[in-house]
Amino acid sequence: MEIQNNLETFVLLWRMMERTRRLLAGHCKRFCIRNILKAWFDTEANDEFIWQVCHMCEQEGWNELQKPSLYPRPHRELLRAIVAARTGISYYRIDLKALDAAYSIAFPHSTPLNINKKKRVARGSVAVKKITA
């Protein structure tokens, strides 16, 4: 599988995350970063690669992850770190808009990511209050 920094890859990764969760549960294995990477990349998921991904997403490799459709934030950071590690792109250059849009495509019945993010107000615009006497 070729990993790129685009919407199609992110949709595929979100869907793979859910399939991997079900696969690991079926084998009575922990749904954690280490097991996800081993399932996806087999022998390429050596200790150095796993450490790099865990370090970037600031998560522990053996910690149990929740369902991606219910708790997407840790998975979002994990996917961001995986794409950065595999492509050699900086972690901060990952296309977050595409990553968030892919989540909405992969899990259409879940609340979209960044729904509560504050809207930016354009400079120079003035909020008008209604004055009552």
Side-chain angles (χ1 to χ4, degrees), residues 20-48:
T20 304
R21 183 189 68 77
R22 284 189 251 124
L23 174 76
L24 292 172
H27 290 285
C28 298
K29 288 188 175 184
R30 180 182 297 206
F31 181 58
C32 64
I33 293 173
R34 178 174 284 280
N35 287 340
I36 292 167
L37 294 176
K38 293 266 185 195
W40 289 5
F41 302 110
D42 197 31
T43 57
E44 294 177 46
N46 57 21
D47 287 339
E48 183 179 329

Side-chain angles (χ1 to χ4, degrees), residues 24 27 32 45 55 57 68 70 77 92 95 98 101 115-116 133:
L24 292 172
H27 290 285
C32 64
H55 180 72
C57 68
L70 298 178
E77 299 309 312
Y92 302 102
D95 187 356
I115 192 90
N116 294 326

Side-chain angles (χ1 to χ4, degrees), residues 66-105:
Q66 301 294 326
K67 287 181 74 171
S69 60
L70 298 178
Y71 299 96
R73 291 288 176 185
H75 302 283
R76 176 186 191 241
E77 299 309 312
L78 172 59
L79 293 179
R80 188 176 173 192
I82 290 170
V83 171
R86 292 290 291 186
T87 61
I89 300 172
S90 168
Y91 179 76
Y92 302 102
R93 291 226 181 245
I94 302 300
D95 187 356
L96 293 178
K97 286 184 181 182
L99 183 56
D100 294 346
Y103 174 79
S104 295
I105 294 169

